[in-house]
Amino acid sequence: MPADSASHPLLRLAAVDKSFGAHQVLHGIDLEVRAGEVVVLLGASGSGKSTLIRCVNRLETIDSGEILLDGVPVPSEGRELARMRAQVGMVFQSFNLFGHKTVLENITLAPVRVRGVPVRRAQERAHELLARVGLADKASAYPAQLSGGQQQRVAIARALAMDPRVLLFDEPTSALDPEMTNEVLDVMSELAAEGMTMLVVTHEMGFASRVADRVVFLDAGRIVESAPPQDFFAGPRTDRARDFLSKILTH
Ligand SMILES: Nc1ncnc2c1ncn2[C@@H]1O[C@H](COP(=O)(O)OP(=O)(O)OP(=O)(O)O)[C@@H](O)[C@H]1O
Ligand SMILES: [Mg+2]
Protein backbone atom coordinates (compact mmCIF):
# COMPACT_ATOMS: atom_id res chain seq x y z
CA MET A 1 0.00 0.00 0.00
CA PRO A 2 1.44 3.39 -0.89
CA ALA A 3 2.62 5.38 2.13
CA ASP A 4 0.26 8.25 1.36
CA SER A 5 -2.85 6.13 0.95
CA ALA A 6 -4.59 8.12 3.67
CA SER A 7 -4.45 11.19 1.44
CA HIS A 8 -6.40 9.84 -1.53
CA PRO A 9 -9.59 7.83 -1.87
CA LEU A 10 -9.38 4.08 -2.24
CA LEU A 11 -11.59 4.27 -5.32
CA ARG A 12 -11.91 7.29 -7.56
CA LEU A 13 -13.83 7.87 -10.75
CA ALA A 14 -12.95 11.11 -12.49
CA ALA A 15 -14.91 12.57 -15.40
CA VAL A 16 -16.05 9.14 -16.58
CA ASP A 17 -18.16 9.09 -19.75
CA LYS A 18 -19.74 5.97 -21.16
CA SER A 19 -21.95 5.46 -24.19
CA PHE A 20 -23.62 2.45 -25.75
CA GLY A 21 -23.63 3.38 -29.42
CA ALA A 22 -25.17 6.83 -29.70
CA HIS A 23 -26.70 6.62 -26.23
CA GLN A 24 -24.59 8.28 -23.58
CA VAL A 25 -25.30 6.47 -20.33
CA LEU A 26 -22.76 8.06 -17.96
CA HIS A 27 -21.94 11.78 -18.06
CA GLY A 28 -18.82 13.08 -16.33
CA ILE A 29 -19.03 10.83 -13.30
CA ASP A 30 -16.86 12.04 -10.40
CA LEU A 31 -17.06 9.72 -7.44
CA GLU A 32 -14.73 8.99 -4.57
CA VAL A 33 -14.97 6.19 -2.05
CA ARG A 34 -12.59 6.39 0.87
CA ALA A 35 -11.18 3.37 2.67
CA GLY A 36 -13.78 1.95 5.02
CA GLU A 37 -16.56 4.02 3.51
CA VAL A 38 -19.93 2.59 2.45
CA VAL A 39 -21.50 4.44 -0.48
CA VAL A 40 -25.00 3.54 -1.62
CA LEU A 41 -25.84 4.36 -5.21
CA LEU A 42 -29.50 5.17 -5.86
CA GLY A 43 -31.37 6.10 -9.00
CA ALA A 44 -34.31 5.16 -11.18
CA SER A 45 -34.24 2.19 -13.51
CA GLY A 46 -32.00 2.98 -16.47
CA SER A 47 -30.15 5.81 -14.69
CA GLY A 48 -26.82 3.99 -15.13
CA LYS A 49 -26.17 2.40 -11.73
CA SER A 50 -25.17 -1.03 -13.03
CA THR A 51 -23.14 0.47 -15.84
CA LEU A 52 -21.23 2.63 -13.35
CA ILE A 53 -20.50 -0.36 -11.11
CA ARG A 54 -19.45 -2.49 -14.07
CA CYS A 55 -17.11 0.22 -15.34
CA VAL A 56 -15.21 0.14 -12.04
CA ASN A 57 -13.73 -3.28 -12.72
CA ARG A 58 -13.80 -2.87 -16.48
CA LEU A 59 -16.65 -5.24 -17.20
CA GLU A 60 -17.60 -2.25 -19.37
CA THR A 61 -15.12 -0.06 -21.20
CA ILE A 62 -15.25 3.68 -20.64
CA ASP A 63 -15.05 6.34 -23.37
CA SER A 64 -13.13 8.90 -21.37
CA GLY A 65 -12.13 9.77 -17.84
CA GLU A 66 -10.19 7.81 -15.31
CA ILE A 67 -10.74 5.15 -12.68
CA LEU A 68 -8.15 4.83 -9.93
CA LEU A 69 -7.78 2.20 -7.25
CA ASP A 70 -5.68 3.45 -4.36
CA GLY A 71 -4.39 6.21 -6.56
CA VAL A 72 -3.32 3.90 -9.40
CA PRO A 73 -5.18 4.04 -12.73
CA VAL A 74 -7.06 0.83 -13.43
CA PRO A 75 -5.66 -0.53 -16.68
CA SER A 76 -8.09 -1.44 -19.44
CA GLU A 77 -6.65 -4.86 -20.21
CA GLY A 78 -3.95 -7.44 -19.61
CA ARG A 79 -2.27 -8.87 -16.57
CA GLU A 80 -2.39 -5.61 -14.64
CA LEU A 81 -6.15 -5.57 -15.05
CA ALA A 82 -6.43 -9.15 -13.79
CA ARG A 83 -4.37 -8.22 -10.73
CA MET A 84 -6.54 -5.20 -10.04
CA ARG A 85 -9.78 -7.11 -10.57
CA ALA A 86 -8.69 -9.56 -7.91
CA GLN A 87 -8.75 -6.63 -5.46
CA VAL A 88 -12.30 -5.63 -6.33
CA GLY A 89 -15.00 -8.11 -5.29
CA MET A 90 -18.34 -8.06 -7.03
CA VAL A 91 -21.70 -9.44 -5.93
CA PHE A 92 -24.56 -9.47 -8.43
CA GLN A 93 -28.31 -9.81 -8.15
CA SER A 94 -28.20 -13.24 -9.77
CA PHE A 95 -25.52 -14.84 -7.50
CA ASN A 96 -23.62 -16.32 -10.49
CA LEU A 97 -22.39 -19.37 -8.62
CA PHE A 98 -21.10 -22.36 -10.57
CA GLY A 99 -24.00 -24.81 -10.40
CA HIS A 100 -21.91 -27.93 -10.96
CA LYS A 101 -19.47 -27.10 -8.17
CA THR A 102 -19.98 -27.37 -4.42
CA VAL A 103 -20.11 -24.33 -2.20
CA LEU A 104 -16.56 -25.03 -1.05
CA GLU A 105 -15.32 -25.33 -4.64
CA ASN A 106 -17.09 -22.12 -5.61
CA ILE A 107 -15.24 -20.27 -2.87
CA THR A 108 -11.80 -21.81 -3.36
CA LEU A 109 -11.68 -21.69 -7.16
CA ALA A 110 -10.40 -18.15 -7.65
CA PRO A 111 -7.92 -18.08 -4.75
CA VAL A 112 -6.38 -21.34 -6.00
CA ARG A 113 -6.42 -20.54 -9.73
CA VAL A 114 -5.78 -16.80 -9.71
CA ARG A 115 -3.79 -16.34 -6.51
CA GLY A 116 -2.04 -19.70 -6.39
CA VAL A 117 -3.18 -20.32 -2.81
CA PRO A 118 -2.58 -23.96 -1.80
CA VAL A 119 -5.86 -25.92 -1.90
CA ARG A 120 -5.76 -26.88 1.78
CA ARG A 121 -5.25 -23.30 2.87
CA ALA A 122 -7.97 -22.01 0.53
CA GLN A 123 -10.34 -24.60 2.00
CA GLU A 124 -9.57 -23.59 5.57
CA ARG A 125 -10.24 -19.99 4.71
CA ALA A 126 -13.46 -20.93 2.87
CA HIS A 127 -14.72 -22.71 6.00
CA GLU A 128 -13.95 -19.60 8.07
CA LEU A 129 -15.80 -17.40 5.60
CA LEU A 130 -18.78 -19.77 5.50
CA ALA A 131 -18.98 -19.59 9.28
CA ARG A 132 -18.87 -15.81 9.04
CA VAL A 133 -21.87 -15.71 6.67
CA GLY A 134 -23.75 -18.26 8.79
CA LEU A 135 -23.35 -21.25 6.47
CA ALA A 136 -20.77 -23.41 8.25
CA ASP A 137 -22.76 -26.56 7.48
CA LYS A 138 -23.19 -25.97 3.73
CA ALA A 139 -19.66 -26.51 2.40
CA SER A 140 -20.50 -29.65 0.46
CA ALA A 141 -23.91 -28.50 -0.81
CA TYR A 142 -24.52 -27.54 -4.42
CA PRO A 143 -26.02 -24.10 -5.16
CA ALA A 144 -29.35 -25.58 -6.27
CA GLN A 145 -29.74 -27.11 -2.79
CA LEU A 146 -29.61 -23.65 -1.17
CA SER A 147 -32.15 -20.87 -0.80
CA GLY A 148 -31.56 -17.65 -2.69
CA GLY A 149 -30.40 -15.90 0.48
CA GLN A 150 -27.97 -18.72 1.20
CA GLN A 151 -26.65 -18.61 -2.36
CA GLN A 152 -26.11 -14.88 -2.09
CA ARG A 153 -24.23 -15.33 1.18
CA VAL A 154 -22.03 -17.90 -0.57
CA ALA A 155 -21.43 -15.34 -3.31
CA ILE A 156 -20.32 -12.85 -0.65
CA ALA A 157 -18.01 -15.45 0.93
CA ARG A 158 -16.61 -16.15 -2.53
CA ALA A 159 -15.88 -12.47 -3.08
CA LEU A 160 -14.26 -12.20 0.37
CA ALA A 161 -12.03 -15.20 -0.35
CA MET A 162 -9.94 -13.00 -2.62
CA ASP A 163 -9.35 -10.49 0.20
CA PRO A 164 -10.73 -7.63 -1.86
CA ARG A 165 -9.98 -4.05 -0.96
CA VAL A 166 -13.38 -2.93 -2.24
CA LEU A 167 -16.66 -4.80 -2.61
CA LEU A 168 -19.16 -3.79 -5.30
CA PHE A 169 -22.78 -4.90 -4.94
CA ASP A 170 -25.40 -4.57 -7.67
CA GLU A 171 -28.87 -5.09 -6.18
CA PRO A 172 -27.74 -8.11 -4.16
CA THR A 173 -31.16 -8.68 -2.58
CA SER A 174 -33.63 -7.74 -5.28
CA ALA A 175 -34.23 -11.37 -6.28
CA LEU A 176 -34.89 -12.39 -2.66
CA ASP A 177 -37.95 -12.49 -0.44
CA PRO A 178 -37.91 -10.26 2.68
CA GLU A 179 -36.57 -12.84 5.11
CA MET A 180 -33.69 -13.82 2.84
CA THR A 181 -33.08 -10.16 2.09
CA ASN A 182 -32.52 -9.52 5.79
CA GLU A 183 -30.05 -12.41 6.07
CA VAL A 184 -27.97 -10.88 3.30
CA LEU A 185 -28.28 -7.30 4.55
CA ASP A 186 -27.16 -8.46 8.01
CA VAL A 187 -24.00 -9.94 6.51
CA MET A 188 -23.38 -6.73 4.56
CA SER A 189 -23.93 -4.61 7.67
CA GLU A 190 -21.39 -6.70 9.57
CA LEU A 191 -18.85 -6.26 6.78
CA ALA A 192 -19.44 -2.51 6.85
CA ALA A 193 -18.97 -2.46 10.63
CA GLU A 194 -15.69 -4.33 10.20
CA GLY A 195 -14.47 -1.56 7.93
CA MET A 196 -14.95 -3.04 4.46
CA THR A 197 -15.07 -0.45 1.70
CA MET A 198 -18.30 -0.91 -0.23
CA LEU A 199 -20.11 0.60 -3.20
CA VAL A 200 -23.67 -0.71 -3.16
CA VAL A 201 -26.59 -0.39 -5.55
CA THR A 202 -29.72 -1.24 -3.59
CA HIS A 203 -33.34 -0.27 -3.21
CA GLU A 204 -33.20 -1.17 0.49
CA MET A 205 -33.65 2.27 1.99
CA GLY A 206 -33.44 0.98 5.56
CA PHE A 207 -30.01 -0.43 4.82
CA ALA A 208 -28.98 2.79 3.08
CA SER A 209 -30.02 4.96 6.00
CA ARG A 210 -28.52 2.70 8.67
CA VAL A 211 -25.31 1.58 7.01
CA ALA A 212 -24.29 4.05 4.31
CA ASP A 213 -21.84 6.81 5.08
CA ARG A 214 -23.02 8.56 1.94
CA VAL A 215 -25.83 8.23 -0.57
CA VAL A 216 -25.16 9.12 -4.19
CA PHE A 217 -28.16 9.72 -6.44
CA LEU A 218 -27.83 9.18 -10.15
CA ASP A 219 -30.24 10.74 -12.63
CA ALA A 220 -29.94 9.93 -16.33
CA GLY A 221 -26.25 9.14 -15.99
CA ARG A 222 -25.33 12.16 -13.86
CA ILE A 223 -24.62 12.32 -10.15
CA VAL A 224 -27.04 14.96 -8.97
CA GLU A 225 -26.82 14.45 -5.21
CA SER A 226 -24.23 13.13 -2.80
CA ALA A 227 -24.99 13.42 0.89
CA PRO A 228 -25.01 11.57 4.21
CA PRO A 229 -28.15 9.41 4.31
CA GLN A 230 -29.83 11.38 7.09
CA ASP A 231 -29.58 14.56 4.98
CA PHE A 232 -30.55 12.85 1.74
CA PHE A 233 -33.62 11.12 3.15
CA ALA A 234 -34.72 14.11 5.24
CA GLY A 235 -34.44 16.58 2.39
CA PRO A 236 -33.34 15.64 -1.11
CA ARG A 237 -32.32 18.79 -2.95
CA THR A 238 -33.46 17.86 -6.45
CA ASP A 239 -36.95 17.21 -7.75
CA ARG A 240 -35.72 13.99 -9.33
CA ALA A 241 -34.50 12.59 -6.02
CA ARG A 242 -37.69 13.72 -4.26
CA ASP A 243 -39.76 12.03 -6.94
CA PHE A 244 -37.66 8.86 -6.74
CA LEU A 245 -38.00 8.69 -2.97
CA SER A 246 -41.73 9.32 -2.97
CA LYS A 247 -42.19 6.41 -5.37
CA ILE A 248 -39.87 3.98 -3.64
CA LEU A 249 -41.06 4.73 -0.11
CA THR A 250 -44.72 4.25 -0.98
CA HIS A 251 -44.17 0.81 -2.55
N1 LIG B 1 -24.97 -3.60 -22.97
C1 LIG B 1 -25.77 -2.56 -23.23
N2 LIG B 1 -26.01 -2.16 -24.50
C2 LIG B 1 -26.79 -1.09 -24.77
N3 LIG B 1 -27.38 -0.34 -23.82
C3 LIG B 1 -27.18 -0.68 -22.55
C4 LIG B 1 -26.37 -1.80 -22.18
N4 LIG B 1 -26.36 -1.89 -20.83
C5 LIG B 1 -27.12 -0.89 -20.39
N5 LIG B 1 -27.61 -0.15 -21.40
C6 LIG B 1 -28.47 1.04 -21.29
O1 LIG B 1 -27.81 1.94 -20.43
C7 LIG B 1 -28.75 2.61 -19.58
C8 LIG B 1 -28.35 2.39 -18.14
O2 LIG B 1 -28.52 1.01 -17.83
P1 LIG B 1 -28.13 0.42 -16.41
O3 LIG B 1 -28.34 -1.03 -16.49
O4 LIG B 1 -26.79 0.91 -16.02
O5 LIG B 1 -29.23 1.12 -15.49
P2 LIG B 1 -29.60 0.83 -13.98
O6 LIG B 1 -29.62 2.15 -13.29
O7 LIG B 1 -28.72 -0.23 -13.43
O8 LIG B 1 -31.11 0.31 -14.08
P3 LIG B 1 -31.89 -0.80 -13.20
O9 LIG B 1 -32.32 -0.10 -11.94
O10 LIG B 1 -33.08 -1.14 -14.05
O11 LIG B 1 -30.97 -1.95 -12.96
C9 LIG B 1 -30.10 2.05 -19.96
O12 LIG B 1 -30.71 2.95 -20.87
C10 LIG B 1 -29.79 0.74 -20.63
O13 LIG B 1 -30.77 0.43 -21.57
MG1 LIG C 1 -29.04 -2.15 -12.71
mmCIF file of all heavy atoms in Angstrom, residues 49-50 170-171, ligand 2:
data_model
loop_
_atom_site.group_PDB
_atom_site.id
_atom_site.type_symbol
_atom_site.label_atom_id
_atom_site.label_comp_id
_atom_site.label_asym_id
_atom_site.label_seq_id
_atom_site.Cartn_x
_atom_site.Cartn_y
_atom_site.Cartn_z
ATOM 1 N N LYS A 49 -26.814 2.935 -12.931
ATOM 2 C CA LYS A 49 -26.170 2.400 -11.725
ATOM 3 C C LYS A 49 -25.324 1.164 -12.029
ATOM 4 O O LYS A 49 -24.163 1.076 -11.633
ATOM 5 C CB LYS A 49 -27.231 2.043 -10.666
ATOM 6 C CG LYS A 49 -28.167 3.195 -10.323
ATOM 7 C CD LYS A 49 -29.227 2.785 -9.321
ATOM 8 C CE LYS A 49 -30.162 1.672 -9.787
ATOM 9 N NZ LYS A 49 -31.061 2.065 -10.889
ATOM 10 N N SER A 50 -25.921 0.189 -12.724
ATOM 11 C CA SER A 50 -25.171 -1.034 -13.034
ATOM 12 C C SER A 50 -23.995 -0.730 -13.947
ATOM 13 O O SER A 50 -22.903 -1.273 -13.776
ATOM 14 C CB SER A 50 -26.077 -2.067 -13.716
ATOM 15 O OG SER A 50 -27.100 -2.468 -12.836
ATOM 16 N N ASP A 170 -24.360 -5.082 -6.771
ATOM 17 C CA ASP A 170 -25.401 -4.568 -7.671
ATOM 18 C C ASP A 170 -26.725 -5.262 -7.352
ATOM 19 O O ASP A 170 -26.949 -6.395 -7.750
ATOM 20 C CB ASP A 170 -25.018 -4.788 -9.137
ATOM 21 C CG ASP A 170 -25.958 -4.028 -10.076
ATOM 22 O OD1 ASP A 170 -26.914 -3.383 -9.582
ATOM 23 O OD2 ASP A 170 -25.741 -4.083 -11.300
ATOM 24 N N GLU A 171 -27.564 -4.574 -6.601
ATOM 25 C CA GLU A 171 -28.873 -5.093 -6.182
ATOM 26 C C GLU A 171 -28.791 -6.535 -5.664
ATOM 27 O O GLU A 171 -29.444 -7.439 -6.194
ATOM 28 C CB GLU A 171 -29.872 -4.991 -7.333
ATOM 29 C CG GLU A 171 -30.034 -3.550 -7.811
ATOM 30 C CD GLU A 171 -31.336 -3.314 -8.544
ATOM 31 O OE1 GLU A 171 -32.323 -3.965 -8.197
ATOM 32 O OE2 GLU A 171 -31.347 -2.468 -9.441
HETATM 33 MG MG MG B 2 -29.038 -2.152 -12.715
#
